[in-house]
Amino acid sequence: VQLQASGGGLVQPGGSLRLSCAASGGTFSSYTMGWFRQVLGKEREFVAAIKRGSLGTAYLDSVKGRFHISRDNAKNTVYLQMNSLKPEDTAVYYCAASPLGLITSSLRRGDQYHYWGQGTLVTVSS
């Protein structure tokens, strides 16, 4: 499975961005999809995930109510709508795919995801 993330950029605090991650080479609808982020010098951090069949989602506490993850199986794409962005959201965002039917408590675990995209940089700054 190949994952291609896009949609990052520079945005002012309070602004919005929508990240996209297009998948190819696998059966997209059967994958659990996730978004993670990483700041240089820090550990990778879980952001959001969506189960296959859109049967459940999970979010990092600090993004709840501001970010929304969704998927379009017809387009083999997962999205991360980010609103009310803050400077602390600045990071490289990575999409990831897992062929496992993860339970909710496992969605946040990076080691459960087998495939990773190349990352897209989000910078929130005035």
Side-chain angles (χ1 to χ4, degrees), residues 18-82:
R18 188 177 79 158
L19 305 184
S20 300
C21 176
S24 60
T27 306
F28 178 78
S29 60
S30 69
Y31 286 89
T32 298
M33 300 299 296
W35 287 97
F36 293 76
R37 66 188 183 188
Q38 188 168 25
V39 175
L40 188 64
K42 294 189 177 181
E43 291 189 357
R44 183 181 60 201
E45 178 180 54
F46 167 80
V47 177
I50 185 166
K51 293 182 178 181
R52 53 192 183 190
S54 299
L55 294 178
T57 59
Y59 294 92
L60 176 68
D61 284 348
S62 64
V63 308
K64 283 181 180 177
R66 300 189 297 122
F67 290 12
H68 177 70
I69 188 170
S70 62
R71 64 191 300 159
D72 185 337
N73 289 338
K75 296 182 177 179
N76 290 351
T77 301
V78 62
Y79 303 98
L80 185 67
Q81 178 66 43
M82 305 185 296

Side-chain angles (χ1 to χ4, degrees), residues 106-124:
S106 295
L107 292 173
R108 304 168 185 268
R109 292 177 51 184
D111 63 355
Q112 298 297 297
Y113 294 82
H114 296 195
Y115 307 102
W116 294 82
Q118 86 290 359
T120 185
L121 177 62
V122 172
T123 303
V124 185

